[in-house]
């Protein structure tokens, strides 16, 4: 027994002590001493491990690029809206009808869909580009096999400047103001539900943007919008903090510093919370024309669910003379820091007008359902009498809290007991006359889209009245969670006999709205069983 005590340590249960293999110390369970690895073998194993880690790292970066591409498409998507493309927002036309995606059940235009090879009951099946990109990501990343998304690394963001002393100083200035903030990673695209289109504001919106001027560099902190699924607030939480950065580059690059001998820029007006706009005024005495260059705007308020805006500027010479001098710039879409770089010319401006008149600049948010004012500024024309002047103006809020022109007072309340949306049409003012007697006979049509019950309501007719008062309520049966995907459409008509009714104005409230209309709708969702009453301007666009 003692002879084989050393061998018993390596004997498996099948190799008993009395067996021949145990006595001969053979078989797979016998103890064997292997020589240690040599230096060449260690280097070979280390090279194989490093190569495997490099391949795994490249694969994670490849999958990260696929995920980043998909998240980019989701951020740029407009979201579901009635009779419009879910991706680009284009409305349906006669020769380009909208197609229904077979996966997410949303509508998209012919440019944003692809044909699928599978057909059901002889009908063509379509798939939007977002769902198609999701399937491609599943296939190329191997998520269809692992039933989950493999490990991935998102690509690094490209820096605006090269790795020089100048760029490092700018990055250090930005990093010092962003301490305690972390980037939010995109949500997992492996979801069995339809794609989500609610975008959170990019982390670049809450960082400081550095604008390079001729003499100095001013860092201004952009606004922070707080919004979520149930509400959106259109107020700023952080004010502007302006400072100058003394930056110097050595070598062959020129030195950038503020020289006291040079002409300093005009003083910056303190920001009132609605952003700033930068313009340049130049007067030509030979042609009696005033050239106004709208350069850029910074820190505008967000007007849609994504926290962005579609700003454009309207310029007008005040006081108005014999005819109105009103011009507008182009629209810059999906940004709070637009770059206009557009020059507008006002002709017929004399030197006496420069001393007595002023320029009014109003920034609007472009919307097919009505343009909302985002801020305004006024500057005297005497600033450019001697030489061209470049100014940075602070935008102020709207002069009046209520909209001007034809408008409608509407009250919304979601009744949790009846599980219905209560809509009260209170009154309207300053409606346009459509009859020969200088009056109108207005009434309002209301419907919810999409509505599984297909209910449509209509108010009573107020004869010969441009400021009617209805105070009539209607109910639409729907769930509170469905309101974020529905739109309430109201159209005002003039009743006529023997001919079609005349259109007076329309109003749409929903998640696709902007400004005060969006805030009114989200307040109704966020605070049920409360009456939310607000004035809304009527647009001259007819929504059928």
């Amino acid at each position: 027994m003692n002879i084989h005590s050393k061998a018993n340590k390596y004997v498996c249960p099948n190799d008993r002590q009395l067996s021949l293999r145990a006595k001969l110390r053979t078989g797979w369970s016998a103890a064997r001493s292997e020589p240690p690895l040599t230096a060449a073998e260690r280097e070979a194993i280390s090279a194989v491990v490093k190569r495997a880690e490099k391949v795994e790292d490249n694969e994670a970066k490849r999958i990260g690029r696929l995920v980043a591409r998909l998240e980019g498409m989701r951020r740029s998507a407009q979201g579901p809206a009635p009779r419009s493309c879910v991706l680009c927002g284009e409305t349906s036309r006669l020769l380009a009808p909208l197609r229904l995606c077979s996966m997410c059940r949303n509508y998209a235009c012919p440019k944003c869909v692809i044909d699928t090879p599978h057909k059901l009951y002889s009908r063509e099946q379509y798939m939007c580009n977002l769902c198609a990109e999701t399937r491609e990501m599943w296939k190329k990343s191997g998520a269809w096999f692992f039933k989950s998304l493999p490990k991935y690394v998102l690509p690094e963001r490209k820096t605006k400047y090269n790795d020089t002393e100048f760029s490092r100083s700018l990055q250090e200035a930005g990093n010092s103001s962003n301490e305690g903030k972390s980037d939010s990673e995109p949500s997992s695209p492996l979801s069995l539900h339809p794609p989500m289109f609610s975008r959170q504001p990019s982390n670049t919106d809450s960082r400081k943007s550095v604008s390079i001027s001729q003499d100095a560099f001013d860092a201004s902190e952009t606004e922070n919008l707080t919004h979520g699924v149930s509400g959106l607030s259109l107020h700023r939480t952080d004010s502007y903090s302006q400072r100058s950065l003394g930056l110097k580059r050595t070598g062959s690059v020129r030195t950038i510093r503020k020289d006291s001998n040079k002409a300093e820029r005009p003083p910056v007006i303190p920001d009132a919370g609605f952003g700033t706009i930068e313009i340049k005024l130049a007067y030509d005495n030979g042609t009696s024309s005033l050239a106004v260059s709208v350069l850029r705007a910074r820190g505008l308020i967000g007007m849609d669910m994504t926290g962005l805006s579609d700003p454009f500027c309207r310029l007008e010479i005040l006081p108005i003379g014999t005819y109105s001098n009103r011009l507008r710039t182009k629209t810059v879409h999906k940004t709070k820091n637009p770059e206009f770089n557009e020059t507008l010319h006002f002709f017929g401006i004399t030197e006496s007008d420069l001393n007595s008149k002023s320029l009014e600049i109003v920034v609007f948010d472009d919307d097919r359902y009505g343009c909302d004012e985002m801020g305004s500024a006024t500057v005297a024309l005497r600033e450019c009498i001697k030489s061209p002047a470049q100014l940075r103006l602070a935008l102020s809020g709207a002069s009046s809290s209520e909209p001007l022109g034809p408008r409608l007072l509407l009250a919304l309340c979601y009744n949790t007991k009846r599980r219905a949306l209560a809509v009260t049409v209170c009154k309207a003012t300053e409606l346009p006359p459509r009859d020969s007697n200088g009056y109108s006979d207005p009434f309002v049509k209301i419907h919810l889209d999409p509505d599984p019950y297909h209910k449509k309501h209509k108010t009573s007719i107020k004869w010969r009245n441009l400021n009617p008062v209805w105070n009539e309520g209607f109910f639409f049966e729907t769930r509170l969670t469905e309101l974020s995907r529905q739109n309430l459409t109201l159209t005002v008509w003039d009743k006529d006999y023997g001919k079609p009714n005349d259109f007076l104005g329309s109003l749409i409230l929903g998640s696709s709205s902007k400004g005060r209309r969006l805030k009114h709708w989200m307040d109704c969702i966020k605070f049920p069983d409360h009456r939310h009453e607000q004035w809304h301007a009527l647009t001259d666009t007819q929504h059928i």
Side-chain angles (χ1 to χ4, degrees):
M1 183 67 69
N2 296 332
I3 299 176
H4 300 286
S5 60
K6 188 176 181 180
N8 291 339
K9 183 179 179 181
Y10 305 101
V11 175
C12 69
N14 294 329
D15 296 341
R16 302 300 179 184
Q17 295 180 1
L18 300 178
S19 63
L20 181 60
R21 286 183 297 179
K23 295 179 180 179
L24 298 178
R25 301 181 63 184
T26 60
W28 67 272
S29 61
R32 297 178 182 178
S33 59
E34 297 292 341
L37 297 177
T38 62
E41 292 175 342
R42 291 195 187 94
E43 292 179 0
I45 294 175
S46 177
V48 171
V49 172
K50 290 182 180 179
R51 185 165 59 250
E53 291 177 352
K54 185 177 180 181
V55 171
E56 183 180 359
D57 187 30
N58 294 337
E59 182 68 12
K61 291 181 179 179
R62 185 185 68 85
I63 299 176
R65 289 192 293 268
L66 296 176
V67 174
R69 173 181 170 84
L70 179 61
E71 288 298 323
M73 293 182 62
R74 286 183 176 179
R75 291 190 185 97
S76 61
Q78 299 291 329
R83 295 175 294 277
S84 63
C85 177
V86 70
L87 293 177
C88 63
E90 185 176 352
T91 57
S92 177
R93 297 194 301 269
L94 179 62
L95 300 180
L98 298 179
R99 311 292 187 183
L100 180 64
C101 178
S102 59
M103 292 189 64
C104 62
R105 310 305 297 175
N106 290 317
Y107 287 94
C109 63
K111 297 183 297 184
C112 300
V113 297
I114 60 174
D115 297 334
T116 58
H118 305 287
K119 293 185 179 182
L120 183 63
Y121 301 111
S122 304
R123 294 183 179 180
E124 295 182 354
Q125 295 291 315
Y126 298 95
M127 185 186 303
C128 65
N129 291 340
L130 189 59
C131 294
E133 186 66 24
T134 304
R135 295 191 65 177
E136 285 294 321
M137 194 270 299
W138 291 349
K139 180 177 65 175
K140 294 181 178 180
S141 64
W144 63 273
F145 179 79
F146 297 105
K147 304 300 182 183
S148 62
L149 190 64
K151 179 183 176 182
Y152 64 91
V153 178
L154 293 177
E156 298 179 357
R157 298 184 179 180
K158 297 181 179 180
T159 57
K160 187 176 181 181
Y161 306 101
N162 296 327
D163 190 11
T164 60
E165 182 182 354
F166 176 67
S167 63
R168 286 193 296 270
S169 59
L170 288 180
Q171 293 175 2
E172 291 175 359
N175 294 334
S176 62
S177 62
N178 294 326
E179 293 180 357
K181 299 182 181 180
S182 59
D183 298 342
S184 57
E185 296 184 357
S187 57
S188 175
L190 289 178
S191 175
L192 298 178
H193 303 284
M196 300 299 294
F197 295 95
S198 60
R199 290 183 292 172
Q200 298 294 334
S202 174
N203 59 343
T204 56
D205 295 342
S206 62
R207 297 184 178 179
K208 293 191 175 182
S209 59
V210 180
S211 58
I212 305 176
S213 60
Q214 297 178 356
D215 301 329
F217 295 86
D218 297 333
S220 59
E221 184 176 357
T222 57
E223 62 186 26
N224 294 328
L225 284 176
T226 57
H227 61 86
V229 178
S230 59
L232 179 142
S233 60
L234 296 177
H235 63 274
R236 294 172 57 101
T237 58
D238 291 333
S239 61
Y240 276 72
S241 60
Q242 298 176 353
R243 59 181 179 178
S244 60
L245 303 178
L247 304 179
K248 183 179 180 180
R249 299 181 66 180
T250 59
S252 59
V253 187
R254 62 184 179 89
T255 302
I256 303 177
R257 61 176 60 179
K258 191 168 183 178
D259 191 358
S260 58
N261 297 329
K262 295 182 180 179
E264 296 184 357
R265 298 182 61 187
V268 179
I269 304 177
D271 181 22
F274 295 90
T276 59
I277 187 170
E278 189 172 349
I279 63 172
K280 185 177 181 180
L281 303 177
Y283 179 71
D284 188 358
N285 194 11
T287 58
S288 298
S289 63
L290 175 66
V292 181
S293 299
V294 183
L295 303 179
R296 63 189 63 86
R298 290 292 181 265
L300 301 180
I301 60 176
M303 302 297 288
D304 57 5
M305 280 292 293
T306 61
L308 302 177
S309 306
D310 302 320
F312 72 91
C313 299
R314 189 194 70 189
L315 286 74
E316 187 174 8
I317 302 295
L318 299 178
I320 302 176
T322 56
Y323 60 93
S324 176
N325 283 329
R326 179 177 293 182
L327 301 175
R328 62 157 291 175
T329 64
K330 61 183 179 182
T331 302
V332 183
H333 296 280
K334 297 298 178 182
T335 180
K336 293 188 296 183
N337 303 307
E339 292 282 348
F340 295 103
N341 294 324
E342 187 173 354
T343 302
L344 305 176
H345 295 273
F346 293 91
F347 294 95
I349 306 297
T350 61
E351 293 185 359
S352 59
D353 293 337
L354 297 179
N355 295 320
S356 60
K357 293 188 177 182
S358 59
L359 174 67
E360 182 187 39
I361 305 172
V362 185
V363 183
F364 290 92
D365 178 65
D366 197 356
D367 186 12
R368 56 184 176 180
Y369 301 141
C371 299
D372 294 322
E373 182 178 345
M374 302 171 61
S376 62
T378 304
V379 58
L381 297 183
R382 66 174 67 96
E383 298 286 344
C384 61
I385 293 180
K386 297 181 180 180
S387 61
Q390 184 170 344
L391 307 171
R392 180 179 296 176
L393 307 174
L395 299 176
S396 59
S399 57
S400 61
S401 59
E402 297 181 0
L404 303 177
R407 54 190 183 273
L408 181 69
L409 181 60
L410 187 67
L412 299 178
C413 176
Y414 184 81
N415 194 326
T416 56
K417 293 183 178 180
R418 297 188 56 170
R419 294 183 179 179
L421 175 65
V423 181
T424 303
V425 181
C426 301
K427 58 183 178 179
T429 58
E430 300 183 15
L431 296 180
R434 288 292 184 267
D435 297 338
S436 58
N437 56 8
Y439 293 96
S440 296
D441 307 320
F443 67 96
V444 182
K445 292 182 179 180
I446 314 170
H447 72 273
L448 194 64
D449 185 31
D451 183 13
Y453 302 100
H454 303 286
K455 285 188 177 181
K456 296 183 179 180
H457 298 285
K458 182 172 63 174
T459 64
S460 59
I461 304 173
K462 301 299 179 180
W463 303 98
R464 301 184 61 184
N465 199 337
L466 298 180
N467 302 296
V469 178
W470 287 286
N471 289 326
E472 300 179 12
F474 309 95
F475 287 93
F476 293 93
E477 296 180 3
T478 181
R479 296 180 180 179
L480 184 62
T481 56
E482 295 293 331
L483 287 180
S484 59
R485 294 185 288 271
Q486 293 176 324
N487 292 326
L488 182 66
T489 304
L490 299 93
T491 53
V492 186
W493 301 84
D494 171 49
K495 182 63 178 179
D496 289 324
Y497 290 103
K499 61 178 182 178
N501 297 328
D502 296 326
F503 177 74
L504 298 180
S506 65
L507 172 65
I508 291 184
L509 299 178
S511 57
S512 60
S513 303
K514 294 183 177 182
R516 58 192 303 127
R517 298 184 303 277
L518 176 61
K519 188 177 185 301
H520 192 192
W521 186 256
M522 300 308 293
D523 287 344
C524 176
I525 300 175
K526 187 176 181 180
F527 305 104
D529 295 325
H530 287 74
R531 180 184 174 94
H532 305 276
E533 188 175 287
Q534 193 169 353
W535 284 96
H536 295 285
L538 297 176
T539 62
D540 55 357
T541 304
Q542 182 174 349
H543 306 284
I544 302 176

